[in-house]
């Protein structure tokens, strides 16, 4: 009887252990699973046609052209900016804000080894970028998009510490990978649906050229781009 109970408990313990190891490995792979920290990657139920265009790695001189395009269609977007680039182009960051778009944190220096940083190092990257955004916007940003979409225990603990929210995406343009703007345009269009958070980078002419085709298409099909805070009903900045 005693052995029976022990054997049963051990099998149960082993099952739970294996399951948790499996989940941990799986969770660090895909930002959309949001296993380590709650991650917003789309809006499930929203008014028909609402999507959120997002732009990473700026600001850059290309941002100015993107802002002109967004203005022409009265679309709003979210820019996940790198702190270092904000220091180089603060006037472009102010244009983003003045035109009613949202700025989020994308780390201070976009380290290539971001997935291997310790919690303390992630916090430093977050805080350095927060300070610069605060100087421009006047408030602390609430949104963070991790470089390369990495979420792991260090990132989860760091965003808990800085009290920020992780914003992912579910429609990835691959505009830094695909060389041809026609292919990028067709890729985004093919997957497009209400509630999408669409990932672009405001760092190349290719993206500008893609938007010159995508924005009229969105308008024609009844889509409207809103900021991530608007789409998700969240606050973009701390009170
Ligand atoms: Zn990035």
């Amino acid at each position: 009887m005693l052995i029976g109970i022990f054997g049963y408990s051990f099998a149960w313990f082993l099952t739970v252990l294996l399951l948790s190891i499996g989940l941990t490995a799986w969770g660090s792979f895909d930002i959309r699973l949001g296993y380590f920290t709650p991650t917003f990657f789309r809006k499930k139920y929203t008014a028909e046609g609402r999507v959120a265009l997002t732009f990473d790695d700026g600001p850059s001189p290309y941002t100015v052209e993107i802002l002109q395009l967004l203005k022409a269609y009265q679309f709003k977007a979210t820019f996940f900016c790198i702190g270092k680039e904000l220091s180089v182009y603060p006037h472009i960051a102010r244009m983003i804000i003045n035109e009613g778009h949202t700025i989020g944190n994308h780390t201070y220096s976009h380290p290539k080894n971001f997935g291997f940083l310790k919690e303390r190092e992630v916090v430093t990257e977050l805080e350095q970028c927060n300070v610069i955004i605060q100087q421009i916007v006047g408030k602390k940003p609430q949104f963070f998009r991790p470089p390369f979409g990495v979420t792991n225990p260090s990132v989860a603990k760091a965003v808990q510490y800085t009290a920020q929210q992780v914003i992912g995406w579910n429609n990835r343009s691959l505009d830094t990978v695909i060389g041809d703007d026609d292919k990028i345009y067709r890729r985004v269009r093919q997957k497009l649906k209400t509630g999408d958070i669409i990932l672009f980078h405001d760092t190349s002419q290719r993206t500008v050229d893609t938007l010159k085709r995508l924005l009229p298409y969105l308008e024609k099909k009844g889509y409207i781009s809103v900021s991530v805070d608007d789409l998700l009903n969240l606050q973009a900045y701390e009170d």
Side-chain angles (χ1 to χ4, degrees):
M1 181 65 181
L2 203 64
I3 292 166
I5 289 168
F6 177 76
Y8 176 76
S9 318
F10 183 72
W12 183 241
F13 167 76
L14 201 67
T15 307
V16 171
L17 181 76
L18 289 175
L19 255 173
S20 70
I21 291 170
L23 274 175
T24 306
W26 184 36
S28 44
F29 269 128
D30 191 341
I31 193 167
R32 288 178 299 172
L33 295 172
Y35 175 63
F36 289 117
T37 185
T39 303
F40 297 93
F41 58 91
R42 70 182 164 117
K43 178 74 173 168
K44 224 171 180 180
Y45 306 105
T46 185
E48 193 58 33
R50 275 158 60 94
V51 296
L53 291 168
T54 67
F55 298 92
D56 286 11
D57 296 358
S60 85
Y62 298 105
T63 313
V64 179
E65 237 186 299
I66 290 171
L67 288 173
Q68 283 166 357
L69 283 168
L70 291 170
K71 198 179 212 169
Y73 291 88
Q74 295 182 302
F75 286 164
K76 298 297 179 215
T78 304
F79 294 81
F80 289 94
C81 296
I82 297 173
K84 267 187 182 172
E85 304 305 322
L86 286 165
S87 303
V88 180
Y89 305 105
H91 60 290
I92 299 178
R94 278 190 285 275
M95 281 174 67
I96 294 173
I97 295 300
N98 290 342
E99 294 181 15
H101 307 288
T102 295
I103 288 182
N105 185 321
H106 194 47
T107 71
Y108 175 72
S109 68
H110 208 279
K112 285 204 168 65
N113 62 342
F114 183 74
F116 300 96
L117 297 188
K118 295 188 177 76
E119 179 196 348
R120 186 174 32 83
E121 294 167 318
V122 177
V123 167
T124 304
E125 280 286 337
L126 282 168
E127 287 182 337
Q128 282 183 314
C129 184
N130 283 343
V131 166
I132 297 168
I133 294 176
Q134 233 161 329
Q135 284 165 355
I136 293 163
V137 182
K139 291 173 185 171
K140 180 189 159 188
Q142 291 292 81
F143 300 150
F144 170 59
R145 175 170 284 163
F148 320 109
V150 169
T151 57
N152 58 31
S154 300
V155 174
K157 281 184 233 157
V159 293
Q160 272 159 29
Y161 180 80
T162 62
Q164 289 175 289
Q165 266 149 343
V166 176
I167 308 291
W169 61 79
N170 69 321
N171 189 332
R172 185 180 194 179
S173 67
L174 290 181
D175 58 343
T176 56
V177 180
I178 301 171
D180 173 3
D181 60 89
D182 184 56
K183 279 191 186 138
I184 301 167
Y185 163 66
R186 281 187 281 122
R187 180 186 158 88
V188 173
R189 196 182 71 175
Q190 195 185 8
K191 306 200 297 178
L192 196 65
K193 60 188 179 307
T194 291
D196 273 4
I197 298 179
I198 306 164
L199 170 63
F200 278 107
H201 297 78
D202 49 335
T203 52
S204 78
Q205 188 58 45
R206 204 159 56 221
T207 301
V208 175
D209 292 341
T210 304
L211 292 172
K212 282 180 184 167
R213 296 188 60 191
L214 183 67
L215 298 197
Y217 174 82
L218 291 176
E219 189 184 50
K220 196 179 88 188
K221 293 288 175 182
Y223 284 101
I224 176 172
S225 176
V226 298
S227 60
V228 159
D229 37 308
D230 194 351
L231 184 76
L232 300 172
N233 297 316
L234 293 171
Q235 265 188 284
Y237 310 101
E238 203 171 64
D239 278 330

